[in-house]
Every structure is written in structure tokens, then in C-alpha cells.
Amino acid sequence: MAEHGQTNIFDDVLKDNESFVIVVQEVMDHNGALQKKILREYPSLDHTAMKNLFDHLKDTYLNETFSEHGTYFDITVYTNEDYAAENIYAHTKKYRNKKEWTKTSK
């Protein structure tokens, strides 16, 4: 019997001892120039801790108040403790005046 459903593209490449970093940022618009402010950073997470914290942060920042110039909150999960684009495991944004997060690759 064939399995149906979405496959997590990272399942085959993640190592058993993979570590993760979650970075929460607020992106602000200052006269057309976007600036990022790191609000929280959580390094050295195992897979279970990362999943639980990622869900918790999405719940927490869903109702967080934006700064005066805040445009969106950004939660990014990196693998290998390296903040490089090729190491992004999940990435989602919540825009001002929106009630949901953008879809994530996680």
C-alpha cells in the first residue's frame, strides 16, 4: 500500500544529533528601508525542543504588539547552528493586522 501525504523534505538529510537555532525578529519600515531587530535567539535545540518552542513562539507572537514602525514578526529555524540561507529549516512571518502566520517549509 502506498503512503499518501506530504513528505518533509528535510527528514532524509537531518542527522540524529542535529541541533537547531530559532531566531525571532521584528522587521520595521523606516521611510522605505527595512530594518531587522532580533527579539529572541534560542541556540542548541534538539529536534523535539525546536518543534515545541517553534509552536509556542508562533502562539506567543500571534498576539504580540508591534513597535511603532513594526511591519512583521519573523521566526526562522536554522540547522547546524549556522545562520545561513542554505540552513533554514523553517521560516514564517506574521504581518501587522493579520491573524495568521505565512506558510512555512517545516
Side-chain angles (χ1 to χ4, degrees), residues 16-48:
D16 289 338
N17 61 350
E18 191 75 69
S19 60
F20 299 87
V21 175
I22 296 180
V23 178
V24 181
Q25 299 177 91
E26 182 180 20
V27 178
M28 297 162 284
D29 185 350
H30 289 284
N31 299 320
L34 294 180
Q35 296 179 341
K36 293 181 178 183
K37 177 183 178 185
I38 294 178
L39 303 175
R40 300 277 187 270
E41 182 178 327
Y42 303 92
S44 302
L45 301 167
D46 66 18
H47 196 260
T48 301

Side-chain angles (χ1 to χ4, degrees), residues 24-79:
V24 181
Q25 299 177 91
E26 182 180 20
V27 178
M28 297 162 284
D29 185 350
H30 289 284
N31 299 320
L34 294 180
Q35 296 179 341
K36 293 181 178 183
K37 177 183 178 185
I38 294 178
L39 303 175
R40 300 277 187 270
E41 182 178 327
Y42 303 92
S44 302
L45 301 167
D46 66 18
H47 196 260
T48 301
M50 176 276 295
K51 285 176 134 181
N52 292 337
L53 182 58
F54 184 70
D55 290 337
H56 172 73
L57 290 170
K58 287 188 350 183
D59 289 342
T60 300
Y61 282 91
L62 192 59
N63 298 309
E64 186 72 18
T65 303
F66 284 89
S67 66
E68 180 181 353
H69 299 287
T71 302
Y72 62 88
F73 291 119
D74 179 297
I75 302 174
T76 307
V77 180
Y78 298 92
T79 62

